Amino acid sequence: MTDLPTPLLTLIIEDDPDVALGCAQALQLEGLAAECVGSAELARRRLSADFRGIVVSDVRLPGQDGMSLLRELQSLDAELPVVLITGHGDVTMAVQAMKDGAYDFLQKPFAPEQLVDVVRRAIEKRRLVLEVRDLRRQLEQRQHLAARLIGDSSGMNRVRELIGALASSAADVLIHGETGTGKELVARCLHDASPRRKGNFVAINCGGLPETLFESEIFGHEAGAYTGAGKRRIGKIEHANGGTLFLDEIESMPLAMQIKLLRVLQERTLERLGSNTSIAIDCRVIAATKEDLLALAGQGRFRADLYYRLSVATLPLPPLRERREDIPLLFEHFMLQAAARHQRPLTPPQSGRIRQLMGYPWPGNVRELRNVADRCVLGIEGGSPPFGEATGDTAGNTARPLAETVEAFERALIADALRRHGSLARTAEALAIAKTTLHDKVRKYGLGE
């Protein structure tokens, strides 16, 4: 069942309690949400650039008057509808208010039907404005993600969809992917697209910390907590307060620390080493692993309760060999980056080399592809795969059947040709196959979705 959209609010600013109550009741009887405040100063605490509603304000108020408030709201949000209530003899003022950007005005005394009619029109206008803004934000976020998470494959489209769905939530996230698939980049994208983007993004590689320093590094310590602890140290979790804590290689975290992390996640408090004082923690935790944590839990090497706490929202990353159609685009991007970084001229890769890239198993995933692009720009690629001697599947995976390998290669070639040529007809011509044959293969490989 989908959630119904929250109704837009009419904020009534009126110091006469009888008039305020009458306006609110007239709107509420028609199913319109309304609230009242008695001054412009109180109203300003409720209003923001994306206020989900409209304003109905008396011109004559104690303290700041309605005309002054209108000018302030225009600078805050020029598209916020403001309806002014004027007294008899204030028509000249009302006309000036319309010139200054007021949506409409009502002259006292007015019938409830007049108020309802004006408010309905103003709310409809506000709803359209907010919908357009929301759509623009979504589009900007998608464009931003597309620039950082490169690829047109179905797997990468799914990753971007999940980031969009999870970014604004408070849920902790578990990212699962092989080495080199970009787990930290995805974690940073989640942080940057979230309401916590202005807070710290604190990354910890759990496999890179000595066990003796783990507790102090993550939870912090007080002065004198142990030999050598000369002063208080703020831990990584505390440093991430208001932001995001990224725990890479979570499977490497010592079991004793897993228990403490679970308590932090459940209670959202921690105690520094050497202290009995609880500190409130407000950070989002994103964990990443290349292992099957549930299998490790069955072996007693990872706490099952921590796994279930972290895996409320999971985000799987596809290995590069399952998104081969993205390889040409990724390689071009990495070549451009490498040429700029090393200040070398960029030589477009030959089609034969692209075929070699597409047929290679990529045990190191995107990270390995970036290294290959660096070597190509530096002119030292000949001694290393995929352009050096054949090395087989260095990841230790069982080789795929020939038919499966050929199909994966064909799918990647067709996807790349479609991206470059756009239409089915031009792609068929470039690949030198019949358009009907290409159409069948596009359907077979799900490339038209």
Side-chain angles (χ1 to χ4, degrees):
M1 182 176 179
T2 56
D3 295 332
L4 293 174
T6 304
L8 299 189
L9 177 70
T10 301
L11 183 64
I12 301 167
I13 311 171
E14 174 59 70
D15 63 320
D16 185 327
D18 293 331
V19 174
L21 180 61
C23 289
Q25 288 180 339
L27 296 175
Q28 290 164 356
L29 286 172
E30 294 296 324
L32 300 169
E35 290 184 14
C36 303
V37 293
S39 69
E41 289 75 15
L42 290 172
R44 282 204 309 273
R45 299 176 189 174
R46 301 287 311 277
L47 298 170
S48 64
D50 285 315
F51 176 66
R52 303 196 73 80
I54 69 163
V55 172
V56 175
S57 175
D58 199 340
V59 168
R60 301 190 182 279
L61 294 168
Q64 184 180 19
D65 62 29
M67 291 292 289
S68 173
L69 176 64
L70 171 65
R71 288 189 290 271
E72 187 175 329
L73 295 181
Q74 283 287 296
S75 60
L76 176 69
D77 185 344
E79 295 179 296
L80 174 63
V82 178
V83 178
L84 292 177
I85 298 174
T86 65
H88 183 70
D90 288 336
V91 175
T92 303
M93 184 185 296
V95 171
Q96 183 59 47
M98 296 289 286
K99 291 180 181 178
D100 289 345
Y103 176 76
D104 208 339
F105 72 93
L106 293 166
Q107 186 176 352
K108 296 178 183 177
F110 52 84
E113 294 80 9
Q114 289 178 275
L115 173 66
V116 170
D117 177 61
V118 170
V119 166
R120 281 195 193 280
R121 287 188 283 109
I123 281 180
E124 184 57 30
K125 180 182 179 181
R126 185 61 171 171
R127 180 177 288 110
L128 291 173
V129 166
L130 294 175
E131 284 177 0
V132 170
R133 288 183 185 177
D134 289 342
L135 289 171
R136 283 176 179 163
R137 286 193 192 100
Q138 291 176 28
L139 180 59
E140 287 171 1
Q141 181 174 308
R142 287 180 184 176
Q143 290 172 338
H144 182 62
L145 286 175
R148 297 178 71 182
L149 299 174
I150 296 170
D152 298 322
S153 62
S154 58
M156 287 310 294
N157 286 332
R158 178 59 179 157
V159 169
R160 286 191 286 266
E161 287 175 6
L162 284 170
I163 291 174
L166 294 172
S168 61
S169 76
D172 297 329
V173 179
L174 178 64
I175 301 172
H176 186 273
E178 296 178 6
T179 298
T181 48
K183 296 186 286 293
E184 183 168 346
L185 174 60
V186 168
R188 286 185 179 276
C189 288
L190 275 167
H191 170 77
D192 292 343
S194 76
R196 298 177 177 271
R197 65 181 70 89
K198 293 183 179 178
N200 293 326
F201 178 88
V202 181
I204 302 173
N205 187 323
C206 299
L209 282 177
E211 189 166 346
T212 53
L213 297 178
F214 212 102
E215 185 171 8
S216 173
E217 190 72 18
I218 292 185
F219 297 97
H221 64 251
E222 295 290 343
Y226 56 87
T227 303
K231 59 181 180 179
R232 172 187 289 177
R233 177 181 172 84
I234 301 298
K236 297 290 189 182
I237 297 178
E238 200 172 341
H239 186 52
N241 224 354
T244 300
L245 178 71
F246 175 57
L247 299 172
D248 199 6
E249 297 186 25
I250 186 74
E251 72 278 1
S252 303
M253 180 176 283
L255 286 171
M257 294 303 102
Q258 292 180 28
I259 297 171
K260 292 197 170 189
L261 176 63
L262 179 63
R263 181 179 177 186
V264 170
L265 294 178
Q266 289 174 337
E267 300 181 10
R268 296 293 166 173
T269 62
L270 64 76
E271 293 177 4
R272 298 190 194 109
L273 191 62
S275 171
N276 294 320
T277 304
S278 292
I279 300 169
I281 294 298
D282 176 25
C283 71
R284 184 187 205 174
V285 175
I286 301 176
T289 182
K290 60 181 182 294
E291 303 287 350
D292 182 340
L293 294 184
L294 197 55
L296 292 182
Q299 300 166 17
R301 295 165 54 196
F302 195 84
R303 290 191 62 90
D305 46 6
L306 178 58
Y307 164 75
Y308 288 117
R309 183 65 183 78
L310 289 170
S311 63
V312 173
T314 57
L315 205 162
L317 299 186
L320 189 55
R321 63 182 175 274
E322 292 180 7
R323 45 181 289 230
R324 292 177 185 270
E325 58 266 46
D326 293 336
I327 290 173
L329 195 61
L330 280 165
F331 189 66
E332 178 185 355
H333 175 72
F334 292 145
M335 288 277 283
L336 287 167
Q337 284 187 333
R341 186 166 58 253
H342 301 301
Q343 297 184 351
R344 297 290 181 88
L346 181 64
T347 304
Q350 301 171 352
S351 58
R353 291 211 153 180
I354 292 294
R355 285 195 291 271
Q356 284 179 278
L357 293 172
M358 301 278 269
Y360 181 65
W362 297 108
N365 290 293
V366 177
R367 184 182 298 150
E368 185 181 8
L369 179 62
R370 183 188 291 112
N371 291 341
V372 170
D374 270 325
R375 290 196 291 269
C376 285
V377 167
L378 293 171
I380 58 172
E381 73 276 13
S384 305
F387 304 129
E389 68 274 5
T391 58
D393 189 346
T394 56
N397 298 325
T398 305
R400 292 190 298 177
L402 177 61
E404 185 180 337
T405 303
V406 170
E407 283 193 351
F409 184 59
E410 183 179 59
R411 183 185 190 279
L413 280 176
I414 292 172
D416 180 54
L418 283 168
R419 179 181 65 81
R420 286 186 287 109
H421 299 290
S423 74
L424 212 62
R426 286 195 294 270
T427 301
E429 183 179 350
L431 295 175
I433 61 174
K435 186 177 175 181
T436 53
T437 302
L438 178 60
H439 182 266
D440 291 341
K441 290 183 181 294
V442 167
R443 290 184 59 189
K444 173 184 176 182
Y445 296 129
L447 295 172
E449 296 175 359

